[in-house]
Structures are given as structure tokens and as C-alpha cells.
Amino acid sequence: MDNQAFRDWVVRAAEWAADYRATLAERPVRAQTKPGAVAAQLPPRAPETAEPMADIFADFERVVLPGMTHWQHPRFFAYFPANAAPVSVIAEILVSAMAAQCMLWQTSPAATEMETVVLQWLRDAIGLPEGFHGVIQDSASSATLAAILTMRERALGFAGNRQGLAAHARVRIYASHEVHSSIDKAVWIAGIGQDNLVRIPTRGPSRAMDTEALESAIAADRAAGLLPAGIVACVGGTSVGAADDVAATSAIAQRYGLYLHVDAAWAGAAMICPEFRAMWQGIEQADSLVLNPHKWLGAQFDCSAHFVRDPAALVRTLAVEPEFLRTYGREGIVNYSEWSIPLGRRFRALKLWFLLRAHGLEGLRAMIRDHVRWSQALARRLAATAGFALVTEPVLSLFSFRHDPGDGRDLDAHNLALVAAINDDGRLYLTQTRVDGRVAIRFQVGAMTTSEADIDLAFDVIRAIAGRLS
Ligand SMILES: *Cc1c(COP(=O)(O)O)cnc(C)c1O
């Protein structure tokens, strides 16, 4: 592609993007496609000869678009949000154009230094003390894997990478059942094994780990000659927003010399609002935490903020420094590949810089406060409507509910059918979860494009479809 054609097509893509955003609300939220339908429209082999861009672009609109679920849709109420504020999309276009590898300071000085500075901005914005240092990972899953590897290495005196785990007592990690599956995966990948992820029961409406049970599990493991290494706490669990008591958990971590990692992938964004910080009270005592600006805050995926109190322990765990990567820069330079699992890194800080400047913290706080208020109002409205009951109270902007037509039918099957019917209708997108073994419908408000009118429409659609199925 020559430069003139590149110019024309970039403009065309930008215009397409703006049109897409302008007409998003008219599309069904969840793709209405059947499994295999997209693949069936793609030829089985790559073309031997070049095809015209116009054909490729036309096929993109014809084949791809109908097979997409629209995460930027104003009535996306499923999972958690994956916002991409338009300003962060613009930053990503610039990043794509430069396509730099940001593994070392030398390969990307501006990206490296901006990453340090914008994460200091974010650290201060969420009320973390200055002792925390940040790095942008591709996902919360990667940040948590890095944390679990650091826990393991710290407990093994940093000998695990060299000696493997067979030479040592069994490493033990503690978490409740409310934590995200990325904790399980991290424990597998770290070689610790699922059997050494000790599940601590929860109690109370916040579904926090029972800290007495946590302490007894650690003490019992120690007495049995096992090696307690760390605790993973969650603040805003994926299912219904469970939150561990970070202060009480960190007191135990300190008493036993364990590492504490806090997964606040979703809820962490809300901590830019001081009134929500009680939810993670004690966070300054954690060894590390992760929050995803690519969820609620509006930085296009991927952008996961990983804060650590002791970067040296992380770097000692993850840095390999083959000779060809050694850079003899000035003292104090940071090579962020030593803080991450992959070597190659994208310039992720730029979109966060664009976002924080273009919206301002006040703009982002106003959005999050609206979402929380609207979600809580909808929860109250549903709770007051015949046939509906809340299963879990709102945590920030997430709650869960069930519908009961009152005719004695199987309510798990009925509520699954209700979710499916709502998503087939296309005006909303919701997902289900299980709470204490029973199906519940999750509702979260988090899309930047959502307005209060979308919440009113959601109420009408949910009530009408539930009525139709009754
Ligand atoms: C979304 C989420 C994750 C996973 O985040 P990725 O960035 O997709 O890896 C982990 N934990 C919690 C609590 C989440 O909400």
C-alpha cells in the first residue's frame, strides 16, 4: 500500500468509526448470529494474489459487522464494561501508526516515561500512597500471574525460577471462592497447582473471606510443614461484587509474613471517587493490586494498571537480561519488560494520558457516580415490581435479581430463559450468574455511552419480556 492509499483508507476508517459510534444504539447489542455463520462466509484458504482494499473493506462491513457484539453500546449491561472512550481510540490509532515495541527505555523512551507518570497520576487519583509504583499490563490476568509468581519467589527466597518447585515445601496460596478464575489459572501456570489454592469460606452480605478461617488455614499449613506464600483478596468480585476486608486480611498477611495481592479489576476504577474507598479500606497495606482502566474508566482495551509496593521483588521474579537486551542507559532508567511476562509491549500509556486529560478526573467521577446512582435506582424499582426480587444488593453499579411468575415452575430454568429472551430481543444485553447455587440475573451499568433513558428502557424491556414468559 502506498502512502496516498494509506492516507485515503485511514480517513475512510476514521469516518467509518465515527458513523459506527453514531448509529450504535440502533444495532442489537449481542450479535444475533448463529455459531459457524461467520466462518462459513470466509474462504478456506488465504488468497494467492492481492485483493483490492475496496473488496476487503466491503467484506468487513458485510461479513464481520453482523457477527459482532457491541461492547460500546449504551445498553450493554452484561459482564463488566470494556469502555473505549473516543479519545482513547484516537490515541490507539496513533500508537498503531507508530507501532513501537516498548520493552526497554531505549526502545521507547517517551512510552516508558509516560507510563511512569500517568500511573503516578492514577495512583494519586485512587488515593494510594506514594510508596506504590505502577506498570501497565495487558490484562488483570497477567498482573495477577505476576503477583502470584512474586509471592512464590518471595516465599522460596527467589530460588524457584532456578530450582523449580520440587526442591521445596509445597507453596500455598489463599483466596475465597469469589475470586476471578484468573487466580486459579495463575496458580496453575506458576506450577503451584490447584490443590494448593486454599479456599477460604466467606461470610456476610459482602461475601468477604472469613478472616478467622483464613488465619487457622495458614497456621495449620505452617504446622504441617507447608509453605504459606500469599493471599489474593478481591474487591468487587466478578459474580456479584464480593469484597474482602482488606485491612483485616493485610493484618494477617503481615503477621505471617505473607504477600497480599488485591484484585480490584473492575471496582478499582470507582476509587477515583473518595466516597467509595471504604470498600477497600486498608489497601495501602497490600503488596500489590490490579485495576483495569480498560473496564469502567474508559481506556480502550488493553490497559491494566498493576501497582506494587516493592518493584524490586517483581523485577527479581520476572527479569531476564540476555546480553543483547542490555542497555547501558543513564542510572535510574526503567525497562518495563522486567515488570511483565511478555517481552514485547505496546505503548499503552498514551490512551490513558489522552483519557485523563480529555475527561479530567471530575468528568470520570461524574460518569461513575451516575452509573452507581442509576443502577441503584433500577434495583429499587425492580425490587418494588411484582414478581421481581433482588438476589444481591447493589455493589457500586452491580446487582443481581430473579423473576418468579408465581406458578411454582423451576425458577433456574425460567430465569435462564428470561436472559436468553432478553438477549435475543437485542435491545439489551445481560448475563446470568449463580448465587448460592441458584441462577440470578446480573445487571451492571458501566458503558460510557449509557444515559438514564437507557436504564428506563431496560426496566420496560425486562418487565415486558418477563411478563410474556409468564
Ligand atoms: C475482569 C476481571 C478480571 C480479568 O480481567 P482481564 O483484564 O480480562 O484479565 C479479573 N478479576 C476481576 C475481578 C475482573 O472483574
Side-chain angles (χ1 to χ4, degrees), residues 80-81 137-144 178-183 234-239 263-267 290 292 294-295 301-304 442:
F80 281 137
Q137 309 285 8
D138 55 4
S139 61
S141 305
S142 291
T144 293
E178 297 290 335
V179 297
H180 189 263
S181 58
S182 57
I183 284 81
C234 70
V235 172
T238 319
S239 174
D263 179 3
W266 161 67
V290 62
N292 281 345
H294 69 229
K295 280 187 169 155
F301 188 86
D302 48 2
C303 185
S304 187
R442 282 174 91 257

Side-chain angles (χ1 to χ4, degrees), residues 146 149-151 153-154 158 259 308-319 338:
L149 290 167
T150 309
M151 286 176 195
E153 284 306 290
R154 220 177 70 165
F158 295 92
Y259 184 112
V308 297
R309 261 200 306 167
D310 179 14
L314 175 63
V315 169
R316 229 178 134 184
T317 301
L318 293 182
E338 298 179 341

Side-chain angles (χ1 to χ4, degrees), residues 372-455:
V372 171
R373 210 175 56 248
W374 298 340
S375 171
Q376 299 192 351
L378 178 65
R380 283 194 301 273
R381 218 172 147 195
L382 277 173
T385 302
F388 288 94
L390 294 190
V391 176
T392 56
E393 288 293 324
V395 173
L396 301 171
S397 61
L398 168 69
F399 68 90
S400 66
F401 67 95
R402 269 161 89 82
H403 179 251
D404 180 356
D407 54 7
R409 72 175 78 178
D410 176 347
L411 290 185
D412 281 357
H414 171 67
N415 281 276
L416 287 175
L418 178 54
V419 171
I422 289 170
N423 294 338
D424 287 345
D425 170 83
R427 284 175 290 173
L428 320 180
Y429 186 22
L430 299 179
T431 40
Q432 72 283 344
T433 186
R434 274 189 187 268
V435 179
D436 303 327
R438 304 187 333 161
V439 170
I441 303 179
R442 282 174 91 257
F443 194 99
Q444 68 76 29
V445 185
M448 276 186 142
T449 49
T450 301
S451 70
E452 208 166 359
D454 294 307
I455 308 296

Side-chain angles (χ1 to χ4, degrees), residues 244-259:
D244 287 316
D245 179 341
V246 178
T249 306
S250 71
I252 294 170
Q254 278 167 25
R255 198 169 313 139
Y256 290 86
L258 304 195
Y259 184 112

